[in-house]
Amino acid sequence: MPYNHILVAVDLTEECDPVIHRARELSASNNAKLSLVHIVEPMAMAFGGDVPMDLSQLQQQQFDQAKERLERLINKYPEISKDTCHLTYGQPRQEIHHLAKEQHCDLIVVGSHGRHGLALLLGSTANDVLHGASCDVLAVRLQTKN
């Protein structure tokens, strides 16, 4: 069965290029719509949720920087429409699952670092997205730098 709507989750770094390339290939070969999402995690989550200071200004700067990087990515890949790009706050797993359901996506494409030990095949975000997804998930292996 061909895919109709592919959601690619990116971290807006250079490492996301192979993920986007693979999603573009699948989109072209399936004549599927391609959407892109980046999730900005609340800073409080990184600190365990209990932060004794106001992080709202830093959080807004982080969001603004992500917006700029997303716009550069859209310019780099003209086949990605600004209308199908999503930038949001939240926990990546929940936000990606929510958007995939809301947009009726039938494939989620994420990047994955090959890890040792407990995170053997999937990075934490890729692993989180895989569990509980209501559609297929493709983890694109990213090259690790030594």
Coordinates of all heavy atoms in Angstrom, one line a residue, residues 39-87:
I39 N 10.0 20.0 17.2 CA 9.4 20.2 18.5 C 10.5 20.9 19.4 O 11.6 20.4 19.5 CB 9.0 18.9 19.2 CG1 8.2 18.0 18.3 CG2 8.3 19.2 20.5 CD1 6.9 18.5 17.8
V40 N 10.1 22.0 19.9 CA 11.0 22.7 20.9 C 10.5 22.3 22.3 O 9.4 22.5 22.7 CB 10.8 24.3 20.8 CG1 11.7 24.9 21.9 CG2 11.2 24.7 19.4
E41 N 11.4 21.6 23.0 CA 11.1 21.1 24.3 C 11.1 22.2 25.3 O 12.1 23.0 25.3 CB 12.1 20.0 24.7 CG 11.8 18.6 24.1 CD 12.7 17.6 24.7 OE1 12.3 17.1 25.8 OE2 13.7 17.2 24.1
P42 N 10.1 22.2 26.2 CA 10.2 23.2 27.3 C 11.5 23.1 28.1 O 11.8 21.9 28.4 CB 9.0 22.9 28.1 CG 8.0 22.2 27.2 CD 8.9 21.4 26.2
M43 N 12.1 24.2 28.4 CA 13.4 24.1 29.1 C 13.2 23.4 30.5 O 14.1 22.8 31.0 CB 14.0 25.5 29.3 CG 14.5 26.0 28.0 SD 15.3 27.6 28.3 CE 16.6 27.5 27.0
A44 N 12.1 23.6 31.1 CA 11.8 23.1 32.4 C 11.9 21.5 32.4 O 12.3 20.9 33.3 CB 10.5 23.5 32.9
M45 N 11.6 20.9 31.2 CA 11.7 19.5 31.1 C 13.1 19.0 31.2 O 13.4 18.0 31.7 CB 11.0 19.0 29.8 CG 9.5 19.1 29.7 SD 8.9 18.6 28.1 CE 9.1 16.9 28.2
A46 N 14.0 19.8 30.6 CA 15.4 19.5 30.7 C 16.0 19.5 32.1 O 17.0 18.8 32.4 CB 16.2 20.4 29.8
F47 N 15.4 20.3 32.9 CA 15.8 20.4 34.3 C 15.0 19.7 35.3 O 15.0 20.0 36.5 CB 15.8 21.9 34.7 CG 16.8 22.7 33.9 CD1 16.4 23.6 32.9 CD2 18.2 22.6 34.2 CE1 17.3 24.4 32.2 CE2 19.1 23.4 33.4 CZ 18.7 24.2 32.5
G48 N 14.2 18.8 34.8 CA 13.3 18.0 35.7 C 12.1 18.6 36.1 O 11.4 18.2 37.0
G49 N 11.7 19.8 35.5 CA 10.4 20.4 35.8 C 10.4 21.4 36.9 O 9.5 22.2 37.0
D50 N 11.4 21.4 37.8 CA 11.4 22.3 39.0 C 12.6 23.2 38.8 O 13.7 23.0 39.3 CB 11.5 21.5 40.2 CG 11.2 22.3 41.5 OD1 10.6 23.4 41.3 OD2 11.7 21.9 42.6
V51 N 12.3 24.4 38.2 CA 13.3 25.4 38.0 C 13.0 26.6 38.8 O 11.9 27.2 38.7 CB 13.4 25.8 36.5 CG1 14.6 26.7 36.3 CG2 13.6 24.5 35.7
P52 N 14.0 27.1 39.6 CA 13.7 28.2 40.5 C 13.8 29.6 39.9 O 14.0 30.6 40.5 CB 14.8 28.1 41.6 CG 15.9 27.4 40.9 CD 15.3 26.5 39.9
M53 N 13.7 29.7 38.5 CA 13.8 31.0 37.9 C 12.8 30.9 36.6 O 12.4 29.9 36.2 CB 15.2 31.3 37.5 CG 15.8 30.3 36.4 SD 17.4 30.9 35.9 CE 18.3 29.5 35.9
D54 N 12.5 32.1 36.1 CA 11.7 32.3 35.0 C 12.5 32.0 33.7 O 13.4 32.8 33.4 CB 11.0 33.7 35.0 CG 10.1 33.9 33.8 OD1 9.7 32.9 33.2 OD2 9.7 35.0 33.6
L55 N 12.1 31.0 33.0 CA 12.8 30.7 31.7 C 12.1 31.2 30.5 O 12.5 30.8 29.4 CB 13.0 29.2 31.6 CG 13.9 28.5 32.7 CD1 13.9 27.0 32.6 CD2 15.3 29.1 32.7
S56 N 11.1 31.9 30.6 CA 10.2 32.3 29.5 C 11.0 33.1 28.4 O 10.8 32.8 27.2 CB 9.0 33.1 29.9 OG 9.3 34.2 30.6
Q57 N 11.9 34.0 28.8 CA 12.6 34.7 27.8 C 13.6 33.8 27.1 O 13.7 33.9 25.8 CB 13.4 35.9 28.5 CG 14.0 36.8 27.5 CD 14.7 38.0 28.1 OE1 14.7 38.1 29.4 NE2 15.2 39.0 27.3
L58 N 14.3 33.0 27.8 CA 15.2 32.0 27.1 C 14.4 31.1 26.2 O 14.9 30.7 25.1 CB 16.0 31.2 28.2 CG 17.1 31.9 28.9 CD1 17.7 31.1 30.0 CD2 18.2 32.3 28.0
Q59 N 13.3 30.6 26.7 CA 12.4 29.7 25.9 C 12.0 30.4 24.6 O 12.0 29.8 23.5 CB 11.2 29.3 26.7 CG 10.4 28.2 26.1 CD 11.1 26.8 26.2 OE1 11.3 26.3 27.3 NE2 11.4 26.2 25.1
Q60 N 11.6 31.7 24.7 CA 11.2 32.4 23.5 C 12.4 32.6 22.5 O 12.2 32.4 21.3 CB 10.7 33.8 23.8 CG 10.1 34.5 22.7 CD 8.9 33.8 22.0 OE1 8.0 33.3 22.6 NE2 9.0 33.6 20.7
Q61 N 13.6 32.8 23.0 CA 14.8 32.9 22.2 C 15.0 31.5 21.5 O 15.4 31.5 20.3 CB 16.0 33.3 23.0 CG 16.0 34.7 23.4 CD 17.2 35.1 24.3 OE1 17.9 34.2 24.8 NE2 17.4 36.3 24.6
Q62 N 14.9 30.5 22.2 CA 15.0 29.1 21.7 C 14.0 28.9 20.5 O 14.4 28.4 19.5 CB 14.9 28.1 22.8 CG 15.2 26.7 22.3 CD 14.9 25.7 23.4 OE1 14.2 25.9 24.4 NE2 15.5 24.5 23.3
F63 N 12.8 29.3 20.8 CA 11.7 29.1 19.8 C 12.0 30.0 18.5 O 11.9 29.5 17.4 CB 10.4 29.5 20.4 CG 9.2 29.1 19.5 CD1 8.7 27.8 19.6 CD2 8.6 30.0 18.7 CE1 7.6 27.4 18.8 CE2 7.5 29.6 17.9 CZ 7.1 28.3 17.9
D64 N 12.5 31.2 18.7 CA 12.8 32.1 17.6 C 14.0 31.6 16.8 O 14.0 31.6 15.6 CB 13.2 33.5 18.1 CG 11.9 34.2 18.7 OD1 10.8 33.8 18.5 OD2 12.2 35.2 19.5
Q65 N 15.0 31.0 17.5 CA 16.1 30.4 16.8 C 15.7 29.2 15.9 O 16.1 29.0 14.8 CB 17.2 30.0 17.7 CG 18.0 31.2 18.3 CD 18.9 30.8 19.4 OE1 18.9 29.6 19.9 NE2 19.7 31.7 19.9
A66 N 14.8 28.4 16.5 CA 14.2 27.2 15.8 C 13.4 27.7 14.6 O 13.5 27.1 13.5 CB 13.4 26.4 16.7
K67 N 12.7 28.8 14.7 CA 11.9 29.3 13.6 C 12.8 29.7 12.5 O 12.6 29.4 11.3 CB 11.0 30.5 14.1 CG 10.1 30.9 13.1 CD 9.2 32.0 13.7 CE 8.1 32.5 12.7 NZ 7.2 33.5 13.3
E68 N 13.9 30.4 12.8 CA 14.9 30.8 11.8 C 15.6 29.6 11.1 O 15.7 29.6 9.9 CB 16.0 31.7 12.4 CG 15.6 33.1 12.9 CD 16.6 33.8 13.6 OE1 17.8 33.5 13.5 OE2 16.3 34.8 14.3
R69 N 15.9 28.6 11.9 CA 16.6 27.4 11.3 C 15.6 26.7 10.4 O 15.9 26.2 9.3 CB 17.1 26.5 12.4 CG 18.4 27.1 13.0 CD 19.1 26.1 13.9 NE 18.3 25.3 14.8 CZ 18.1 25.5 16.1 NH1 18.7 26.6 16.6 NH2 17.4 24.7 16.8
L70 N 14.3 26.7 10.8 CA 13.3 26.0 10.0 C 13.1 26.8 8.7 O 13.0 26.1 7.6 CB 11.9 25.9 10.8 CG 10.8 25.3 10.0 CD1 11.1 23.8 9.7 CD2 9.5 25.3 10.9
E71 N 13.1 28.1 8.7 CA 13.0 28.9 7.5 C 14.1 28.6 6.5 O 14.0 28.5 5.3 CB 12.8 30.3 7.8 CG 11.5 30.7 8.4 CD 11.3 32.1 8.8 OE1 12.2 32.9 8.6 OE2 10.3 32.4 9.5
R72 N 15.4 28.5 7.1 CA 16.5 28.2 6.2 C 16.4 26.8 5.6 O 16.7 26.6 4.5 CB 17.8 28.2 7.1 CG 18.3 29.7 7.3 CD 19.7 29.7 7.8 NE 20.0 29.0 9.0 CZ 20.0 29.6 10.2 NH1 19.7 30.8 10.4 NH2 20.2 28.8 11.3
L73 N 15.8 25.8 6.4 CA 15.6 24.5 5.9 C 14.6 24.5 4.7 O 14.8 23.8 3.7 CB 15.1 23.6 7.0 CG 15.2 22.1 6.8 CD1 16.7 21.7 6.7 CD2 14.6 21.4 8.0
I74 N 13.5 25.3 4.9 CA 12.5 25.4 3.8 C 13.1 26.0 2.6 O 12.8 25.5 1.5 CB 11.3 26.2 4.3 CG1 10.6 25.5 5.4 CG2 10.4 26.6 3.2 CD1 9.6 26.4 6.2
N75 N 14.0 27.0 2.7 CA 14.7 27.5 1.5 C 15.6 26.5 0.9 O 15.8 26.5 -0.3 CB 15.4 28.8 1.9 CG 14.5 29.9 2.3 OD1 13.4 30.0 1.8 ND2 15.0 30.8 3.2
K76 N 16.2 25.7 1.7 CA 17.1 24.7 1.2 C 16.4 23.6 0.4 O 17.0 23.0 -0.6 CB 17.9 24.0 2.3 CG 19.0 23.1 2.0 CD 19.7 22.6 3.2 CE 20.8 21.7 2.9 NZ 21.6 21.3 4.2
Y77 N 15.2 23.3 0.8 CA 14.4 22.2 0.2 C 13.1 22.8 -0.4 O 12.1 22.8 0.3 CB 14.1 21.1 1.2 CG 15.3 20.4 1.7 CD1 15.8 20.6 2.9 CD2 15.9 19.4 0.9 CE1 17.0 20.0 3.4 CE2 17.1 18.8 1.3 CZ 17.6 19.0 2.6 OH 18.7 18.4 3.0
P78 N 13.1 23.3 -1.6 CA 11.9 24.0 -2.1 C 10.7 23.2 -2.3 O 9.6 23.7 -2.3 CB 12.4 24.5 -3.5 CG 13.7 23.9 -3.8 CD 14.2 23.3 -2.5
E79 N 10.8 21.9 -2.3 CA 9.6 21.0 -2.4 C 8.9 20.9 -1.1 O 7.8 20.4 -1.0 CB 10.0 19.6 -2.9 CG 10.9 18.8 -2.1 CD 12.4 19.1 -2.3 OE1 12.7 20.0 -3.1 OE2 13.2 18.6 -1.5
I80 N 9.5 21.4 0.0 CA 8.9 21.4 1.3 C 8.1 22.8 1.4 O 8.8 23.8 1.4 CB 9.8 21.2 2.5 CG1 10.5 19.9 2.4 CG2 9.1 21.4 3.8 CD1 11.6 19.6 3.4
S81 N 6.8 22.7 1.5 CA 6.0 23.9 1.6 C 6.0 24.5 3.0 O 5.9 23.7 4.0 CB 4.6 23.6 1.1 OG 3.7 24.6 1.5
K82 N 6.0 25.8 3.1 CA 5.9 26.4 4.5 C 4.6 26.0 5.1 O 4.5 25.9 6.4 CB 6.0 27.9 4.3 CG 6.2 28.7 5.6 CD 6.6 30.1 5.3 CE 7.0 30.7 6.6 NZ 7.6 32.1 6.4
D83 N 3.5 25.8 4.3 CA 2.2 25.4 4.8 C 2.2 24.1 5.5 O 1.3 23.8 6.3 CB 1.2 25.4 3.7 CG 1.0 26.8 3.1 OD1 1.3 27.8 3.8 OD2 0.6 26.9 2.0
T84 N 3.2 23.2 5.2 CA 3.2 21.9 5.7 C 4.3 21.7 6.8 O 4.6 20.6 7.1 CB 3.3 20.8 4.6 OG1 4.6 21.0 3.9 CG2 2.2 20.8 3.6
C85 N 4.8 22.8 7.2 CA 5.9 22.8 8.3 C 5.3 23.2 9.6 O 4.5 24.1 9.7 CB 7.0 23.7 7.9 SG 8.0 23.1 6.5
H86 N 5.6 22.5 10.6 CA 5.1 22.7 11.9 C 6.2 22.9 13.0 O 7.1 22.1 13.0 CB 4.2 21.5 12.4 CG 3.2 21.2 11.3 ND1 1.9 21.8 11.3 CD2 3.2 20.3 10.3 CE1 1.2 21.3 10.3 NE2 2.0 20.4 9.7
L87 N 6.1 23.9 13.8 CA 7.0 24.2 14.9 C 6.2 24.4 16.1 O 5.3 25.2 16.2 CB 7.8 25.5 14.5 CG 8.8 25.9 15.5 CD1 9.9 24.9 15.7 CD2 9.4 27.3 15.1

